[in-house]
């Protein structure tokens, strides 16, 4: 099929505005799944964790055949994308393989924070954006208000808006026509040298790495010898094809296609998302621009519960990295937990998803340390350190100043929740830089606040304060000075390095008390008292005590002089003291997880 009859588009929107449901309707109309029998929702979400949480984590591609009203046959390549702020990198990669985007807006919620963020992403890549109002079948749908927001907030033409109900399928046919008529056909010729951009990949234990790519020029077919322009690795193509829920083989892929190829690739390090593939015999002059290097914002260490599983954990992380280009890792070790990996994530949800995927897909038991952000430490000798691990934090007397990352938070909320949300932002050390009334009912609040304060419970509390109506988006804007201290946790007098945290000095005592209380409820009682302490340097700022089991040694004294009882109790006391000196406190895995929870998460 020539490029004039191909269309590449993605669906972008805020969380829960109906991206995956609309993709389901597209797939059903194209009869890629049987319309009879029990229907599976979220067809493109093929991970268990995506179905359970009701969110999209991985962007997925599917090729849909379509016959237009004028009788011409088209090939539509649809990419369904995530909506959560932690997976913006997935969205940016999906967008780079398309010429157009459907911007979904919930008819009852209107324009929200991620709607704006995703629109800007699409505009950066010069995509043709079609505004689509979804959920028009809801009783609470307010279409005139949405049209006004499309014009006023987004600056798009409200006359080009399509109206659909992804749930019932109403309006999907007219949306198909809008895609064919408004989204431009891909440029590039099949006769030019091959340029294929890798936008994703996954690992098959039998066939090796399956590479997802978009062809911008040239063609690729089985038997071709290819070169990865970044790594220089050379392979021979075994199979090419397109995505139609399963991998469907095709004799060749040509310019404008979105598809996959298999080349017996077993060395995972040869593949890099954003790399350009070309032919060895007729190479392209220069690679494609690729993607911006992802910058992780949350850091945590992963350790296997059983130290013998270290090799399996390494293999698991390598395979996840292949499927999730935003995961960054390096080797690490701890006195308490042994060998592991220091990993960088795009947010707390990203961290939770990686944890669950390692446990489910690779059947490994793992422990995560307390998450941290990356701080910049300026030393008195002129040295500048970048620190994301509390154990690397230098002594206070050698530090001149410390800086922490700040974000610009954009919160869109109904006017009645403005007061409590401002209180929450002030509690999190936020500084208001803007407040815009979008209309009579909605306000946009703009705050600058430390990233470390947003990590743990900010999003959950924002949702509970606003009854789910407030939406939140953020971007890292730079570093600002902070007053930072390292808080160590001592159990039975010994520091547990995996529980150390870098905290803002004014919050240290509250945080220390929280951690000690949680550990007290998680560490099992022993024959001796266990002291759990939070310390800054040599100063103890909080303490809890796990009581000892106590045998009633005075039971046999049924009378007589009190000194007999005292003598037995003193003897017991001495024994416990000796036991404490040689006793070893085993900290269960649940204790490390409990420390990560916040007050509101209890």
């Amino acid at each position: 099929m020539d490029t004039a009859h191909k269309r590449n588009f993605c669906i972008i929107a805020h969380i829960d505005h109906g991206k995956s449901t609309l993709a389901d309707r597209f797939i059903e109309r194209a009869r890629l799944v049987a319309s009879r029998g029990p229907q599976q929702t979220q067809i493109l979400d093929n991970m268990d964790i995506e179905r359970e949480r009701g969110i999209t984590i991985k962007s997925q591609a599917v090729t849909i055949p379509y016959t237009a009203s004028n009788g011409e046959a088209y090939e539509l390549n649809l990419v369904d994308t995530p909506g959560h702020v932690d997976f913006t990198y997935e969205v940016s990669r999906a967008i780079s393989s398309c010429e157009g985007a459907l911007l979904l807006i919930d008819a009852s919620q209107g324009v929200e924070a991620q709607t704006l963020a995703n629109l800007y992403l699409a505009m950066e890549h010069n995509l043709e954006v079609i505004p689509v109002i979804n959920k028009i079948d809801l009783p609470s749908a307010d279409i005139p208000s949405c049209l006004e927001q499309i014009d006023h907030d987004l600056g798009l033409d409200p006359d080009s808006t399509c109206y659909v109900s992804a749930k019932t399928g109403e309006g999907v046919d007219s949306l198909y026509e809008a895609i064919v008529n408004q989204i431009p056909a891909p440029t590039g010729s099949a006769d030019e040298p091959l340029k294929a951009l890798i936008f994703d990949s996954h690992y098959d234990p039998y066939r090796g790495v399956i590479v997802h790519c978009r062809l911008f020029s040239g063609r690729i077919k089985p038997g071709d010898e290819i070169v990865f322009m970044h790594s220089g690795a050379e392979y021979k193509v075994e199979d090419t094809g397109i995505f139609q829920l399963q991998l469907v083989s095709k004799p060749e892929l040509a310019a404008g296609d979105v598809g996959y190829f298999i080349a017996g690739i077993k060395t995972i390090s040869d593949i890099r998302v954003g790399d350009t593939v070309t032919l060895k015999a007729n190479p392209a002059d220069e690679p494609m621009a690729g993607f911006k290097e992802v910058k992780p914002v949350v850091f945590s260490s992963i350790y296997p519960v059983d130290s013998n599983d270290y090799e399996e954990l390494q293999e698991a992380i390598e395979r996840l990295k292949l499927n999730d280009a935003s995961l960054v890792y390096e080797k690490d070790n701890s006195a308490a937990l042994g060998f592991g990996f220091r990993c960088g994530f795009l947010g707390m949800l990203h961290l939770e998803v990686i944890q669950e995927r390692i446990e489910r897909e690779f059947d490994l038991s793992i422990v995560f340390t307390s998450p941290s952000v990356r701080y910049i430490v300026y030393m008195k000798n002129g040295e500048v350190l970048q620190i994301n691990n509390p154990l690397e934090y230098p002594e206070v007397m050698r530090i001149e100043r410390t800086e922490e990352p700040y974000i610009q938070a954009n919160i869109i909320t109904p006017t009645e929740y403005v007061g409590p949300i401002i209180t929450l932002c002030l509690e999190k050390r936020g500084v208001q830089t803007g407040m815009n009334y979008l209309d009579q009912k909605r306000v946009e609040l703009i705050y600058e606040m430390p990233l470390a304060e947003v990590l743990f419970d900010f999003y959950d509390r924002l949702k509970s304060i606003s009854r789910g109506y407030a939406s939140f988006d953020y971007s890292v804007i730079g570093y600002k000075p902070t007053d930072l201290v390292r808080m160590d946790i001592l159990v039975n007098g010994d520091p547990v390095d995996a529980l150390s945290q870098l905290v803002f000095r004014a919050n240290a005592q509250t945080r220390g008390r929280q951690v000690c209380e949680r550990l007290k409820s998680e560490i099992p009682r022993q024959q001796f008292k266990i002291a759990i302490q939070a310390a800054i340097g040599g100063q103890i700022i909080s303490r809890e005590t796990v009581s000892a089991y106590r045998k009633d040694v005075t039971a046999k004294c049924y009378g007589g002089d009190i000194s007999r009882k005292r003598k037995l109790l003193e003897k017991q006391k001495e024994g416990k003291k000796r036991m404490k000196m040689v006793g070893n406190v085993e900290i269960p895995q649940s204790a490390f997880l409990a420390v990560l929870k916040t007050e509101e998460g209890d």
Side-chain angles (χ1 to χ4, degrees):
M1 188 178 282
D2 64 334
T3 54
H5 288 85
K6 292 175 185 172
R7 298 289 184 272
N8 298 320
F9 69 99
C10 56
I11 307 177
I12 55 175
H14 189 79
I15 312 156
D16 286 340
H17 280 209
K19 295 177 293 298
S20 296
T21 311
L22 182 60
D24 290 355
R25 296 297 84 76
F26 276 130
I27 290 164
E28 280 171 20
R29 287 291 162 96
R31 295 189 168 82
L32 296 182
V33 290
S35 55
R36 290 187 304 175
Q39 282 295 309
Q40 172 182 296
T41 55
Q42 290 175 266
I43 297 168
L44 289 177
D45 293 347
N46 49 24
M47 283 195 277
D48 290 344
I49 181 172
E50 289 180 311
R51 299 188 176 288
E52 284 167 22
R53 288 174 176 252
I55 57 172
T56 302
I57 292 165
K58 289 290 303 168
S59 56
Q60 299 286 350
V62 62
T63 301
I64 298 170
Y66 173 64
T67 306
S69 55
N70 59 8
E72 293 190 33
Y74 286 87
E75 203 172 77
L76 311 179
N77 290 310
L78 154 68
V79 186
D80 179 28
T81 63
H84 199 280
V85 64
D86 281 18
F87 305 114
T88 307
Y89 190 62
E90 282 285 328
V91 181
S92 71
R93 290 181 5 226
I95 281 175
S96 66
S97 59
C98 301
E99 277 79 33
L102 305 181
L103 182 65
L104 244 60
I105 296 151
D106 187 320
S108 59
Q109 302 275 0
V111 170
E112 299 198 64
Q114 276 300 110
T115 315
L116 284 163
N118 285 331
L119 174 66
Y120 296 147
L121 262 180
M123 285 176 162
E124 275 175 34
H125 289 80
N126 298 319
L127 297 199
E128 181 64 40
V129 178
I130 301 175
V132 180
I133 297 178
N134 187 23
K135 307 190 186 181
I136 56 172
D137 57 314
L138 287 180
S140 57
D142 187 354
I143 293 171
S145 169
C146 286
L147 288 170
E148 194 182 310
Q149 290 171 26
I150 287 169
D151 185 20
H152 180 262
D153 300 356
L154 304 179
L156 297 174
D157 179 9
D159 295 335
S160 65
T161 305
C162 296
Y163 308 93
V164 299
S165 166
K167 188 176 176 182
T168 64
E170 183 186 344
V172 171
D173 290 329
S174 57
L175 187 53
Y176 264 128
E177 289 296 317
I179 291 164
V180 168
N181 296 326
Q182 292 183 42
I183 292 176
T187 55
S189 165
D191 301 323
E192 295 171 11
L194 172 67
K195 266 191 186 178
L197 180 72
I198 301 174
F199 67 89
D200 205 355
S201 54
H202 70 274
Y203 191 83
D204 184 296
Y206 302 105
R207 307 181 78 181
V209 179
I210 295 172
V211 180
H212 304 207
C213 62
R214 156 73 201 270
L215 273 70
F216 283 89
S217 63
R219 56 183 83 228
I220 185 171
K221 60 185 185 299
D224 283 348
E225 291 196 350
I226 54 164
V227 178
F228 293 102
M229 295 182 87
H230 173 74
S231 62
E234 298 177 6
Y235 287 95
K236 191 172 183 179
V237 177
E238 296 170 1
D239 185 22
T240 56
I242 56 172
F243 304 104
Q244 286 191 331
L245 304 185
Q246 279 82 36
L247 305 180
V248 179
S249 289
K250 274 183 75 175
E252 72 167 19
L253 295 176
D257 282 338
V258 173
Y260 72 89
F261 68 82
I262 299 170
I265 303 161
K266 292 285 193 281
T267 312
I268 290 173
S269 57
D270 285 349
I271 298 292
R272 182 178 165 184
V273 168
D275 197 358
T276 305
V277 179
T278 190
L279 292 180
K280 186 180 176 185
N282 183 18
D285 302 333
E286 55 183 3
M288 307 281 298
F291 306 109
K292 275 192 292 191
E293 196 63 40
V294 63
K295 290 198 173 107
V297 294
V298 181
F299 297 85
S300 177
S301 294
I302 310 177
Y303 299 96
V305 171
D306 181 355
S307 55
N308 295 329
D309 291 341
Y310 176 75
E311 303 291 333
E312 285 91 332
L313 179 61
Q314 182 170 4
E315 191 177 331
I317 291 176
E318 278 179 5
R319 289 199 186 170
L320 279 182
K321 168 76 177 167
L322 184 68
N323 194 230
D324 182 352
S326 52
L327 176 65
V328 177
Y329 68 93
E330 61 185 23
K331 291 183 178 177
D332 191 19
N333 68 324
S334 149
L337 297 168
F339 289 99
F341 295 91
R342 188 77 181 164
C343 299
F345 307 93
L346 297 183
M348 288 298 285
L349 179 63
H350 188 204
L351 183 151
E352 283 177 40
V353 165
I354 293 293
Q355 179 183 358
E356 284 197 39
R357 288 188 69 186
I358 290 174
E359 288 173 349
R360 290 177 185 211
E361 294 174 25
F362 303 96
D363 199 22
L364 289 171
S365 296
I366 52 174
V367 174
F368 270 75
T369 61
S370 187
S372 167
V373 297
R374 177 172 277 155
Y375 297 97
I376 295 179
V377 180
Y378 294 87
M379 309 295 283
K380 286 180 178 170
N381 64 4
E383 204 178 340
V384 179
L385 305 176
Q386 290 198 355
I387 286 171
N388 59 54
N389 191 336
L391 303 178
E392 295 169 1
Y393 194 66
E395 294 159 4
V396 181
M397 61 279 292
R398 292 169 51 210
I399 298 172
E400 187 176 310
R401 72 179 194 279
T402 310
E403 292 184 351
E404 66 177 327
Y406 266 66
I407 60 164
Q408 178 175 301
N410 291 57
I411 301 165
I412 295 178
T413 173
T415 48
E416 61 260 39
Y417 305 115
V418 168
I421 288 174
I422 288 176
T423 308
L424 171 65
C425 293
L426 290 174
E427 187 189 314
K428 297 291 185 182
R429 298 192 279 141
V431 176
Q432 194 178 96
T433 58
M435 184 172 179
N436 309 318
Y437 277 83
L438 302 174
D439 51 40
Q440 287 84 14
K441 294 181 181 173
R442 296 180 314 133
V443 185
E444 181 184 29
L445 298 172
I446 302 168
Y447 271 85
E448 288 185 4
M449 57 174 76
L451 176 63
E453 296 286 343
V454 177
L455 287 189
F456 288 100
D457 61 336
F458 181 80
Y459 189 68
D460 294 341
R461 286 181 63 190
L462 179 72
K463 283 292 180 192
S464 60
I465 284 171
S466 66
R467 299 184 186 176
Y469 284 109
S471 62
F472 170 65
D473 180 48
Y474 70 84
S475 55
V476 179
I477 53 170
Y479 281 77
K480 293 188 179 183
T482 185
D483 185 10
L484 205 63
V485 290
R486 181 174 119 184
M487 184 177 77
D488 291 314
I489 303 297
L490 292 84
V491 176
N492 206 16
D494 296 326
V496 182
D497 57 357
L499 294 176
S500 295
Q501 297 177 27
L502 293 173
V503 291
F504 185 62
R505 190 184 293 274
N507 299 347
Q509 197 157 10
T510 313
R511 186 81 189 129
R513 198 178 305 122
Q514 281 178 7
V515 172
C516 290
E517 283 170 4
R518 285 204 187 92
L519 285 175
K520 182 184 177 182
S521 62
E522 293 291 335
I523 292 177
R525 289 168 72 186
Q526 308 281 338
Q527 294 288 347
F528 50 88
K529 274 187 190 173
I530 303 170
I532 302 168
Q533 297 164 311
I536 295 173
Q539 182 186 2
I540 304 295
I541 57 168
S542 178
R543 171 182 169 133
E544 292 286 338
T545 306
V546 179
S547 304
Y549 284 123
R550 188 173 166 194
K551 185 182 174 187
D552 188 2
V553 289
T554 61
K556 59 188 176 187
C557 299
Y558 46 84
D561 190 5
I562 188 72
S563 59
R564 287 179 65 202
K565 284 189 179 179
R566 283 211 187 108
K567 196 173 174 184
L568 287 167
L569 290 171
E570 286 298 321
K571 200 172 173 186
Q572 184 187 36
K573 203 169 168 186
E574 285 299 316
K576 285 196 182 294
K577 208 178 272 182
R578 277 205 306 278
M579 202 185 283
K580 186 173 182 178
M581 288 164 70
V582 295
N584 187 19
V585 181
E586 282 286 318
I587 301 177
Q589 180 189 353
S590 58
F592 290 97
L593 301 176
V595 170
L596 305 190
K597 289 193 182 125
T598 52
E599 262 179 315
E600 286 71 23
D602 287 350

